[in-house]
Amino acid sequence: MSAVPASGAASDWIALYLERLAAQRGYSAHTVSAYRRDLHAFAGFLEQLGRPLTEAAADDVRAFVAAQHRSGLSAATLKRRLAAVRGLYRFLQDEAAVEIHPAQDLRAPKGSRRLPETLDPEQMTALLEHGDDDILDLRDRALFELIYSSGLRLAEAVSLDLVGLDLASARVRVTGKGGKTRDLPVGRKACEALSAWLQVRGQLAATGEEAVFVGRHGARLGARAVQARLRRRALLAGLDTPVHPHMLRHAFASHLLESSGDLRAVQELLGHANISTTQIYTHLDFQHLAQVYDRAHPRARRRKDEDDY
């Protein structure tokens, strides 16, 4: 046990607690400083209520959290403040200063989930259609069209082998998280870009290399190289936001969902574990997914004049 402060004042208990965090539990100076602000804010709130620290009840802690929430603190800050208060009262229990932990079962208000960054269809068009016709640009266009066309993760795209690509039937087979394999439609624009790339791929690819996408030295293209090439392409296309490969996957999902409204199909196409491993969705076979895809994906739909013939 630590020495009980003679005054029993809240500030003395807080100082002892923070001392323990730093000395015995190895908390950083930054965290200790943040907890100090949090706990003094809590002690000040109790003082306004006329409540000693060691006599606070669950309703007092709840009122503190509510007041902090109304003041505009972020969910992350509220969560940390409540964690600081919980830790303080565990310490006070260890020191036999309190019998009941008033913050034991309280939870901080949940903040709204941050939406993933994405690009609108016009930005995607600018990104995908920008460029020259040199061999690296043909490769990049095919790669980025495929990621956006089929909602691939970066790791799925760079690990794709020639055997997994079937342009004749406009589909690609990828292996995602957990080793799960899924067949996905490939849109018309992506098929065209991939066909153009495959015609010149042999100029770069080393003998026996099975990767669809290869780098300057003939070996499989790496994830970091893809990230750098996409950033460069976005800048040259005049986009005013930093672009990374996962944004293309987010764009795929958001644009398809906006057009189709078919959440299950979109989740299946993305290969999310909570869908692909659930029996109830087994009726979503490839044919159904392809139909939803053809109706809804901005770069899979045929132009109206093509549909008329």
Side-chain angles (χ1 to χ4, degrees), residues 74-276:
S74 69
T77 301
L78 283 173
K79 185 176 180 179
R80 190 197 66 219
R81 290 208 159 176
L82 188 52
V85 172
R86 283 202 200 95
L88 174 63
Y89 278 105
R90 281 194 296 271
F91 169 74
L92 291 174
Q93 280 186 314
D94 291 343
E95 298 299 319
V98 298
E99 293 183 6
I100 298 174
H101 190 315
Q104 185 70 53
D105 299 321
L106 299 184
R107 297 291 179 267
K110 290 183 179 179
S112 56
R113 291 188 62 182
R114 184 181 177 186
L115 294 175
E117 296 177 288
T118 188
L119 299 169
D120 62 36
E122 290 73 23
Q123 290 174 311
M124 285 303 310
T125 297
L127 178 70
L128 295 173
E129 297 187 354
H130 175 82
D132 305 315
D133 287 326
D134 63 56
I135 191 168
L136 293 180
D137 187 71
L138 288 173
R139 179 204 64 195
D140 292 348
R141 184 178 300 168
L143 172 60
F144 300 140
E145 282 277 11
L146 179 61
I147 292 175
Y148 175 54
S149 163
S150 303
L152 303 191
R153 299 177 177 94
L154 175 57
E156 294 169 346
V158 297
S159 66
L160 180 63
D161 289 338
L162 292 168
V163 69
L165 189 61
D166 185 355
L167 294 185
S169 59
R171 73 168 67 187
V172 62
R173 173 167 290 182
V174 298
T175 301
K177 290 183 178 179
K180 294 183 175 64
T181 300
R182 66 191 193 280
D183 286 337
L184 301 169
V186 180
R188 176 176 57 87
K189 289 281 190 178
C191 282
E192 292 172 358
L194 284 162
S195 180
W197 157 242
L198 292 176
Q199 289 177 32
V200 299
R201 174 186 172 278
Q203 298 176 30
L204 282 184
T207 302
E209 177 58 64
E210 294 298 320
V212 172
F213 302 107
V214 297
R216 295 175 186 271
H217 302 295
R220 186 181 300 275
L221 190 62
R224 288 189 178 180
V226 175
Q227 293 165 343
R229 293 288 294 185
L230 181 58
R231 284 195 301 269
R232 174 181 177 275
R233 191 181 188 91
L235 287 172
L236 292 174
L239 299 187
D240 58 0
T241 183
V243 178
H244 53 81
H246 215 62
M247 288 175 71
L248 307 190
R249 178 169 154 90
H250 290 321
F252 159 86
S254 60
H255 299 169
L256 195 56
L257 186 57
E258 286 170 8
S259 298
S260 71
D262 196 329
L263 180 61
R264 290 184 181 181
V266 173
Q267 289 180 316
E268 183 85 357
L269 287 162
L270 288 171
H272 286 162
N274 62 332
I275 297 298
S276 61

